[in-house]
Amino acid sequence: MEITSVCPYCGKEMRDGAIPVLRDIYWCPRGEDGMLKDGFGDEKEQVWLGRAGLFGGDTPARYCESCKAVIIPVSEIEWPLDKLDKKFTAWQEKISAQREERKAQREEEKREEKSRKRREKDPWEV
Ligand SMILES: [Zn+2]
């Protein structure tokens, strides 16, 4: 869905603005028991709208005065922290790939060493 400044409910123009991020804000689903699923275990279900702290600031949002509704286009936002996460993940993947490569290399060397020893072995020895 394209995000425009038109209210999806009444079709009127929405006011441009932002929500100041003074502390972490996120959306999370409500479980069948009526409780918000915002525990650490359900962290993946959280939709971050704003993260306070290092990169505090504001979250762009639009407000419809006739519907009294605020729309926060999540997809527009890429958080510096997520960028860092991605960088970190890419870095980790690189490291583990290098580690795998080295491991494969070492195994190759071991194999060569073994076959060299076998070749050097006295053929009369049983
Ligand atoms: Zn509206």
Side-chain angles (χ1 to χ4, degrees), residues 7-12 14 64-69:
C7 175
Y9 304 111
C10 68
K12 283 185 194 154
M14 301 179 86
C64 176
E65 285 179 329
S66 27
C67 297
K68 302 269 184 267

Side-chain angles (χ1 to χ4, degrees), residues 64-125:
C64 176
E65 285 179 329
S66 27
C67 297
K68 302 269 184 267
V70 172
I71 307 281
I72 305 169
V74 176
S75 55
E76 270 184 8
I77 308 160
E78 182 165 22
W79 298 100
L81 273 177
D82 289 345
K83 274 191 213 163
L84 275 183
D85 275 352
K86 271 182 208 156
K87 257 193 200 166
F88 185 63
T89 308
W91 177 74
Q92 274 182 323
E93 276 165 12
K94 203 175 144 194
I95 294 282
S96 72
Q98 282 175 347
R99 207 173 285 154
E100 284 298 310
E101 213 174 283
R102 238 175 289 144
K103 203 172 138 195
Q105 218 175 337
R106 234 177 290 138
E107 265 160 30
E108 183 64 30
E109 281 169 11
K110 252 190 234 164
R111 256 198 304 273
E112 270 174 35
E113 175 84 10
K114 250 188 210 163
S115 64
R116 192 173 55 84
K117 271 188 185 157
R118 223 175 290 138
R119 265 183 272 124
E120 284 172 359
K121 233 184 193 176
D122 185 350
W124 303 108
E125 193 187 312

Side-chain angles (χ1 to χ4, degrees), residues 1-93:
M1 190 187 91
E2 198 198 337
I3 294 162
T4 66
S5 59
V6 173
C7 175
Y9 304 111
C10 68
K12 283 185 194 154
E13 193 77 11
M14 301 179 86
R15 290 188 68 185
D16 201 9
I19 296 170
V21 180
L22 306 174
R23 50 184 294 177
D24 291 350
I25 50 173
Y26 54 87
W27 175 92
C28 58
R30 195 182 289 281
E32 278 168 24
D33 54 2
M35 300 289 280
L36 289 182
K37 297 169 79 177
D38 66 345
F40 288 107
D42 301 307
E43 194 155 30
K44 279 184 202 125
E45 294 207 54
Q46 290 173 344
V47 177
W48 287 98
L49 303 174
R51 279 177 166 177
L54 276 173
F55 303 102
D58 56 62
T59 291
R62 291 196 178 94
Y63 173 59
C64 176
E65 285 179 329
S66 27
C67 297
K68 302 269 184 267
V70 172
I71 307 281
I72 305 169
V74 176
S75 55
E76 270 184 8
I77 308 160
E78 182 165 22
W79 298 100
L81 273 177
D82 289 345
K83 274 191 213 163
L84 275 183
D85 275 352
K86 271 182 208 156
K87 257 193 200 166
F88 185 63
T89 308
W91 177 74
Q92 274 182 323
E93 276 165 12

